[in-house]
Amino acid sequence: MNLLEVNGLCKQYSGFVLDNVSFSLEPGYIMGFIGRNGAGKTTTIKSMLNLIKKDGGEVYINGLPFDKNETECKRQIGFITGGFDCYKKSTLKKLTSVTRRFYDDYNDGLYREYMTRFNLDENKKVSELSAGMRVKYALTLALCHNAKLLIFDEPTSGLDPVSRDDLLDIFRSVISDGQRSILFSTHIISDLEKCADFITYIKNGKLIASQDVTSFCEGYRLVSGDGAALSGRERYVVGHKSNAFGFTALIKTEDADKFADCRTAPADLESIMIYTEQED
Amino acid sequence: MKNLLYKEFSLCLPVQVPIFLLFSFFILIPNYPYLVAGFFICNAIFYSFVQASADNDPLFSLLLPVSKADTVKGKMIFVVLIQLVSLVIFAAVSLLSHAMGKGANDAGTDASLTLLGGYLLVFSVFNLSYIPHYFKSPHTAGKRFLVSAVFMFGFMILFEGFMIAAKPLSEVVPFFSLVETYLDVFPTGGAVWIAQAVFFAVCAAIYAVLNIVCVKKAVKSFETSEV
């Protein structure tokens, strides 16, 4: 059974439409949720969690429809934003004492274990924590109430490379029991290449792809050649960059035979996103 | 709901609330519009909303396993508890004022059950004019209080003005002599007690009904707000 299933999610603002976004995630995996700033990642997540009112679509958490089982679904979710900025003047101890009351299966032993592992001092105030430590604290709270689905909205934004790498290692260890999954929104593609099993890619509110990272990357090729080689074949190109020495273009693998005379190379996530976003 | 109230009192109770409760001692000041003390209680509650907004309380609350409707109800019960505690203190200070032998109040309603009913009406005006708007747009919590304050002061001027006007008007309009005799005095006799108890009960009923309306409006606002 899917831990998360999103069907036809829609939300309309003046100047932006989240258009019929659907994807799903099984237990035991990390899904990267990618797109440029303003593509609709946060809108999708907030609509999923009823933080903003969606205009259409359904969300299921572990098989339960979210709209009809909001409380139970929330028990199974840990939502962590990159800039956890709630109650900055409160101590972690106070926030924990409030939060734990809402969860019947809150595990205090696990809380102590993660606080020690993440080197968190519960007498500190939220404002005294670095961005990375705030994410770790929010993660600790989520893990202690046995959240099955962890949703991170840009958790690595503003973190230094070492902290980011550390966090990604934690992500891998969190899902290692095969019971939990992580949906992880970011525009830092290198983070996904280190840890994501699946990606969901949205652009201007529309779903571009939702599949495993390997097959997604295998669906594209980078081709390069001299400037003249591109002419007449522009319609097969997803995006390209040209300079005095020639061009590099992203094409779909199914069109690779049209570029048999060019140099081809596998495309990575970052290249796919860069050239796809260049399309317009 | 118990957990939501624990959250409210642990995280959303600013220092202004206990401090502003001390404004109930205004009732000991001779010749003062005592209804203003009710405004200060609402002011303290307003601070709790502003602080909650600054602390991102709507987001924090909605990430807990509670529905939007329960989040609103939890906040409403928190507000009502503060208002009822202040009412008890007002009542105690009113008794103290009478025990101290303080005379009639020429600047507004006397310390009485009528005054306590008036406080409930001030609280109703605040709750209805402020709380639904807070849940519609938590980030404009500050601006909205200005509108709410205009409503509250408008009501207080009407209420206190009515009580002040009752004395001179009682000589020409018999109805005002009833107000002067039964409502705008500290209750000592049986008939005055009954009259004021009825007035207080009516105010309490209005407070209860308007709070229910307030919750319904606030839930509706919160359902469509962007957290």
Side-chain angles (χ1 to χ4, degrees):
Chain A
M1 185 193 291
N2 289 322
L3 206 44
L4 169 67
E5 196 172 322
V6 177
N7 294 331
L9 199 63
C10 298
K11 175 72 186 175
Q12 188 159 4
Y13 291 109
S14 58
F16 176 79
V17 177
L18 187 69
D19 188 11
N20 207 23
V21 170
S22 301
F23 59 92
S24 59
L25 178 60
E26 289 176 26
Y29 295 104
I30 296 176
M31 174 180 276
F33 191 31
I34 61 170
R36 292 183 74 172
N37 289 332
K41 300 187 296 292
T42 300
T43 302
T44 302
I45 290 173
K46 287 190 168 184
S47 301
M48 283 163 48
L49 298 175
N50 197 25
L51 298 178
I52 57 178
K53 191 173 173 62
K54 60 182 182 288
D55 295 327
E58 290 165 333
V59 177
Y60 295 86
I61 305 294
N62 217 358
L64 290 173
F66 190 96
D67 290 344
K68 290 177 185 161
N69 304 273
E70 183 170 353
T71 305
E72 182 48 38
C73 287
K74 282 180 176 175
R75 277 187 218 284
Q76 301 191 39
I77 295 174
F79 175 56
I80 296 128
T81 56
F84 179 81
D85 61 353
C86 300
Y87 291 105
K88 284 185 190 168
K89 298 292 173 199
S90 295
T91 60
L92 306 189
K93 192 175 188 175
K94 196 173 190 180
L95 284 178
T96 304
S97 79
V98 170
T99 308
R100 63 186 297 176
R101 291 171 171 265
F102 289 85
Y103 300 95
D104 298 334
D105 51 356
Y106 176 86
N107 186 330
D108 197 50
L110 211 52
Y111 170 74
R112 302 275 158 219
E113 194 183 311
Y114 279 112
M115 290 295 277
T116 306
R117 178 177 168 188
F118 296 154
N119 205 18
L120 288 162
D121 177 357
E122 67 173 2
N123 294 312
K124 278 194 172 177
K125 293 177 178 173
V126 173
S127 60
E128 294 169 339
L129 300 182
S130 66
M133 295 300 258
R134 287 184 199 187
V135 171
K136 286 177 183 173
Y137 173 64
L139 178 60
T140 299
L141 287 181
L143 293 174
C144 291
H145 69 76
N146 199 24
K148 297 279 185 251
L149 176 65
L150 299 168
I151 300 175
F152 292 84
D153 189 15
E154 311 265 0
T156 53
S157 297
L159 299 191
D160 63 77
V162 177
S163 300
R164 272 169 38 208
D165 195 58
D166 183 28
L167 197 60
L168 299 177
D169 286 343
I170 292 167
F171 284 2
R172 295 297 329 174
S173 71
V174 163
I175 59 145
S176 61
D177 62 1
Q179 303 292 311
R180 297 191 180 98
S181 288
I182 292 176
L183 176 69
F184 165 24
S185 111
T186 186
H187 53 262
I188 304 173
I189 303 301
S190 57
D191 289 347
L192 293 178
E193 286 170 336
K194 289 178 189 165
C195 72
D197 305 297
F198 292 89
I199 66 131
T200 290
Y201 178 13
I202 60 168
K203 180 183 174 186
N204 298 330
K206 286 190 170 62
L207 186 76
I208 299 287
S210 186
Q211 60 190 114
D212 70 274
V213 175
T214 309
S215 68
F216 178 69
C217 290
E218 283 175 353
Y220 293 90
R221 287 282 184 277
L222 283 172
V223 295
S224 54
D226 60 42
L230 191 59
S231 113
R233 293 185 280 194
E234 288 90 346
R235 67 179 181 281
Y236 300 113
V237 170
V238 175
H240 77 280
K241 286 182 179 182
S242 299
N243 58 33
F245 304 103
F247 75 94
T248 304
L250 182 77
I251 60 164
K252 294 206 166 153
T253 303
E254 65 207 40
D255 297 324
D257 57 329
K258 317 278 191 317
F259 293 85
D261 56 322
C262 299
R263 291 182 296 279
T264 63
D268 58 13
L269 269 179
E270 190 153 336
S271 304
I272 295 170
M273 189 169 161
I274 288 170
Y275 285 100
T276 304
E277 294 294 340
Q278 198 191 35
E279 193 180 4
D280 296 332
Chain B
M1 198 50 69
K2 192 178 69 181
N3 294 332
L4 274 170
L5 280 175
Y6 181 84
K7 188 218 81 178
E8 293 295 336
F9 281 99
S10 298
L11 299 173
C12 303
L13 190 70
V15 68
Q16 281 90 348
V17 170
I19 290 174
F20 280 31
L21 282 173
L22 296 175
F23 283 113
S24 54
F25 285 91
F26 275 13
I27 292 173
L28 297 178
I29 300 172
N31 299 324
Y32 187 85
Y34 300 141
L35 212 52
V36 171
F39 169 79
F40 286 113
I41 300 303
C42 296
N43 201 356
I45 293 167
F46 154 71
Y47 278 115
S48 86
F49 277 93
V50 168
Q51 184 179 301
S53 172
D55 283 334
N56 252 332
D57 176 68
L59 176 64
F60 181 83
S61 301
L62 284 183
L63 295 180
L64 296 169
V66 288
S67 66
K68 280 187 169 179
D70 282 345
T71 303
V72 171
K73 286 173 194 164
K75 187 68 98 180
M76 194 67 202
I77 292 173
F78 169 69
V79 168
V80 167
L81 284 176
I82 292 172
Q83 291 172 341
L84 293 184
V85 166
S86 75
L87 206 66
V88 170
I89 297 174
F90 284 139
V93 178
S94 297
L95 289 172
L96 179 66
S97 126
H98 181 68
M100 288 166 69
K102 201 162 68 64
N105 180 15
D106 291 334
T109 318
D110 277 356
S112 58
L113 265 177
T114 307
L115 179 67
L116 298 184
Y119 285 133
L120 286 178
L121 296 180
V122 172
F123 296 156
S124 302
V125 171
F126 168 76
N127 293 354
L128 197 59
S129 64
Y130 186 78
I131 294 174
H133 186 90
Y134 170 81
F135 282 103
K136 186 175 185 182
S137 176
H139 298 297
T140 57
K143 284 183 197 163
R144 181 63 191 185
F145 187 66
L146 291 176
V147 177
S148 227
V150 169
F151 282 121
M152 280 189 283
F153 272 105
F155 171 76
M156 287 187 289
I157 288 167
L158 285 175
F159 190 92
E160 292 289 38
F162 182 80
M163 292 301 172
I164 293 168
K167 192 171 187 178
L169 289 174
S170 63
E171 290 166 16
V172 282
V173 184
F175 168 74
F176 283 101
S177 88
L178 294 175
V179 172
E180 178 70 5
T181 311
Y182 289 101
L183 292 181
D184 194 16
V185 288
F186 184 86
T188 46
V192 175
W193 266 112
I194 291 168
Q196 292 195 8
V198 168
F199 180 82
F200 181 80
V202 169
C203 293
I206 292 171
Y207 177 70
V209 169
L210 291 185
N211 279 345
I212 292 168
V213 173
C214 175
V215 168
K216 286 188 173 171
K217 284 184 75 170
V219 169
K220 201 174 170 187
S221 298
F222 205 30
E223 289 293 346
T224 54
S225 77
E226 309 266 307
V227 179

